[in-house]
């Protein structure tokens, strides 16, 4: 199995070793790969204390790799920055910590949302707001979304916000809430969660006129001997990938998605999210790497090994991606 750690190296080798394209095209493609390698994806993760920001980050991403650094930004005291290769995560406290702290948190979030990168584009590509699905009172979450985040997202706020309703397994009180054997909601809980999605969507629409598509999931937990795998984590990642700029999706191929297969196995099966994730990333790599070059039907020959590497990235259905892509590209 090819290790996805080296995805850009694999990509460069694929291009360099190709016998089907001329030198000029090769150098064009290699230049594109260089641009791919150097871009950063910035995601802000925010939400009330205890909503599950840290748990979500740890479940989604490969936070055990050596490069993970937890540093404190000098100006924004409470925002923690994690960098995993070219993925930058901003773990930002939301509201609900008392008036004084809330004001500070809001100020920090607003400052971060208004920061520009070196190309004068907004630094933050996506804000993932995590709502605690186990609490009834979502007042502070609405305040955070409607009054702090959305007004600071510029002209098309819906493009840069995603709302995750976490702790689906604790969404209701009482018995028969979660089907622990299959790690999924019971039919009653599913109805309840769908209602919650509708009401969160409606409250945000009412206050801001912005359409969001909330997703319910469970980040899961590990506590001593007890552990529960995530639910709908692949769906959450799938939605993240669809929100971020296409050219930046390749960043998520660079050894930062969790390699633990059990993170990705339990989802609602409306879509094959794991296959869609790989497809989305692979398409963006091919599109971005081959921009401005006419490689036509050589695409399959050219990116064969890259396809395998992307396929190996998110465990469960390894290898499936290339088969799917072959048909997409008519090879
Ligand atoms: N049952 C269950 N517990 C969860 C889930 N997600 C998080 N938790 C638990 O909720 C608690 C809070 O989670 P954290 O990830 O620390 O929340 P946070 O938003 O980072 O909290 P702060 O950093 O304090 O603001 C922990 O005990 C987690 O184990 C979930 O999906 N299901
Ligand atoms: Mg935390």
């Amino acid at each position: 199995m090819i290790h996805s750690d080296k995805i850009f190296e694999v990509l460069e080798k694929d291009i360099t070793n190709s016998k089907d394209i001329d030198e000029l095209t090769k150098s064009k493609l290699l230049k594109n790969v260089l641009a791919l390698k150097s871009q950063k994806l910035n995601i802000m993760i925010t939400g009330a204390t205890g909503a599950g920001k840290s748990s979500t980050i740890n479940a989604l991403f490969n936070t055990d790799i050596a490069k993970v650094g937890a540093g404190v930004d000098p100006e924004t005291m409470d925002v923690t920055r994690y960098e995993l290769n070219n993925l930058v995560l901003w773990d930002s406290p939301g509201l609900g910590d008392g008036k004084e702290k809330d004001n500070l948190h809001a100020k920090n979030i607003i400052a971060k949302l208004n920061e520009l990168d070196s190309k004068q584009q907004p630094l933050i590509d996506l804000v993932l707001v995590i709502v605690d699905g186990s609490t009834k009172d979502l007042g502070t979450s609405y305040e955070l979304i409607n009054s702090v985040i959305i007004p600071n997202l510029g002209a098309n706020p819906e493009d840069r916000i995603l709302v995750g309703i976490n702790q689906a397994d604790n969404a209701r009180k009482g018995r028969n809430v979660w089907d622990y054997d299959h790690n999924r909601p019971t039919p009653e809980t599913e109805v309840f969660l769908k209602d919650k999605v509708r009401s969160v969507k409606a409250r945000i629409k009412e206050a801001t006129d912005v359409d969001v598509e909330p997703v319910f999931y469970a980040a899961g937990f590990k506590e001593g001997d007890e552990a529960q795998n995530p639910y709908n984590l692949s769906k959450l990642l799938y939605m993240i990938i669809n929100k971020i700029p296409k050219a930046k999706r390749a960043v998520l191929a660079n050894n930062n998605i969790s390699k633990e297969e059990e993170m990705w196995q339990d989802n609602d099966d409306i879509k094959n999210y794991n296959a869609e994730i790989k497809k989305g990333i692979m398409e963006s790599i091919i599109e971005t790497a081959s921009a401005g070059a006419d490689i036509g039907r050589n695409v399959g020959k050219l990116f064969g090994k890259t396809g395998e590497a992307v396929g190996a990235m998110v465990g469960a259905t390894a290898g499936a991606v290339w088969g799917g892509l072959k048909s997409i590209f008519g090879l």
Side-chain angles (χ1 to χ4, degrees):
M1 197 196 270
I2 298 161
H3 242 276
S4 56
D5 298 45
K6 304 226 162 78
I7 192 111
F8 294 122
E9 271 174 48
V10 173
L11 189 54
E12 281 165 344
K13 264 193 201 134
D14 269 357
I15 295 166
T16 312
N17 297 338
S18 170
K19 294 183 183 72
D20 303 299
I21 48 172
D22 58 67
E23 290 307 311
L24 197 70
T25 310
K26 273 189 191 180
S27 73
K28 207 170 215 171
L29 296 186
L30 288 170
K31 215 175 129 205
N32 287 344
V33 175
L34 216 60
L36 262 177
K37 273 206 289 202
S38 65
Q39 60 180 350
K40 300 222 180 223
L41 173 66
N42 282 267
I43 302 179
M44 176 189 279
I45 294 107
T46 187
T49 307
K53 298 181 291 295
S54 303
S55 308
T56 302
I57 290 171
N58 290 338
L60 281 170
F61 301 112
N62 187 10
T63 44
D64 292 336
I65 64 168
K67 274 191 194 158
V68 178
V72 177
D73 209 15
E75 285 140 353
T76 51
M77 292 294 286
D78 286 315
V79 178
T80 310
R81 178 185 188 278
Y82 300 96
E83 181 158 355
L84 295 129
N85 295 323
N86 289 14
L87 171 67
V88 185
L89 303 171
W90 302 91
D91 184 345
S92 313
L95 307 181
D97 284 343
K99 202 163 190 237
E100 220 165 289
K101 275 196 172 167
D102 280 2
N103 283 338
L104 180 69
H105 294 335
K107 217 177 110 207
N108 288 338
I109 290 171
I110 291 168
K112 200 40 81 191
L113 290 178
N114 284 286
E115 208 172 309
L116 300 178
D117 66 14
S118 58
K119 290 176 185 149
Q120 300 303 303
Q121 294 300 310
L123 174 77
I124 301 297
D125 294 297
L126 178 71
V127 183
L128 171 59
V129 188
I130 298 178
V131 171
D132 183 350
S134 73
T135 51
K136 271 221 173 89
D137 180 14
L138 295 181
T140 50
S141 291
Y142 291 128
E143 172 82 15
L144 175 68
I145 295 169
N146 297 340
S147 310
V148 179
I149 297 172
I150 288 182
N152 287 285
L153 286 180
N156 299 302
E158 62 279 1
D159 291 349
R160 287 198 291 149
I161 184 169
L162 193 60
V163 176
I165 304 176
N166 185 31
Q167 310 207 28
D169 55 316
N170 282 330
R172 287 165 59 231
K173 283 227 169 70
R175 271 182 281 180
N176 205 24
V177 173
W178 200 250
D179 175 354
Y180 288 97
D181 290 340
H182 303 98
N183 191 32
R184 66 181 179 214
T186 59
E188 296 91 316
T189 302
E190 189 157 340
V191 169
F192 180 90
L193 286 165
K194 282 181 176 163
D195 249 15
K196 196 144 195 163
V197 163
R198 264 192 294 273
S199 88
V200 168
K201 186 178 163 65
R203 284 285 296 267
I204 296 171
K205 177 78 176 173
E206 196 181 286
T208 64
D209 205 32
V210 169
D211 283 300
V212 295
E213 294 302 332
V215 53
F216 63 79
Y217 72 104
F221 63 88
K222 271 188 204 126
E223 260 166 39
D225 294 342
E226 268 197 278
Q228 192 180 309
N229 288 335
Y231 173 78
N232 260 357
L233 194 71
S234 301
K235 184 174 193 170
L236 181 67
L237 182 61
Y238 168 76
M239 295 186 74
I240 291 173
I241 285 177
N242 279 329
K243 277 276 169 193
I244 59 180
K246 211 167 190 189
K248 289 196 177 188
R249 289 178 194 164
V251 168
L252 292 172
N254 196 10
N255 192 28
N256 37 41
I257 294 174
S258 173
K259 291 190 176 75
E260 291 181 46
E261 290 202 11
E262 58 269 31
M263 298 289 134
W264 310 107
Q265 67 197 14
D266 302 317
N267 295 285
D268 72 36
D269 292 316
I270 297 174
K271 277 199 171 111
N272 183 345
Y273 301 109
N274 292 326
E276 293 290 328
I277 288 166
K278 291 174 197 174
K279 207 170 80 182
I281 292 175
M282 190 62 201
E283 278 171 353
S284 106
I285 292 178
I286 292 179
E287 245 182 74
T288 317
S290 53
D294 183 19
I295 52 171
R297 291 183 67 83
N298 287 322
V299 136
K301 286 185 203 156
L302 203 57
F303 297 118
K305 288 265 184 297
T306 309
E308 284 173 43
V310 170
M313 198 176 51
V314 183
T317 48
V321 68
W322 193 243
L325 279 164
K326 271 187 182 158
S327 58
I328 292 169
F329 290 99
L331 304 161

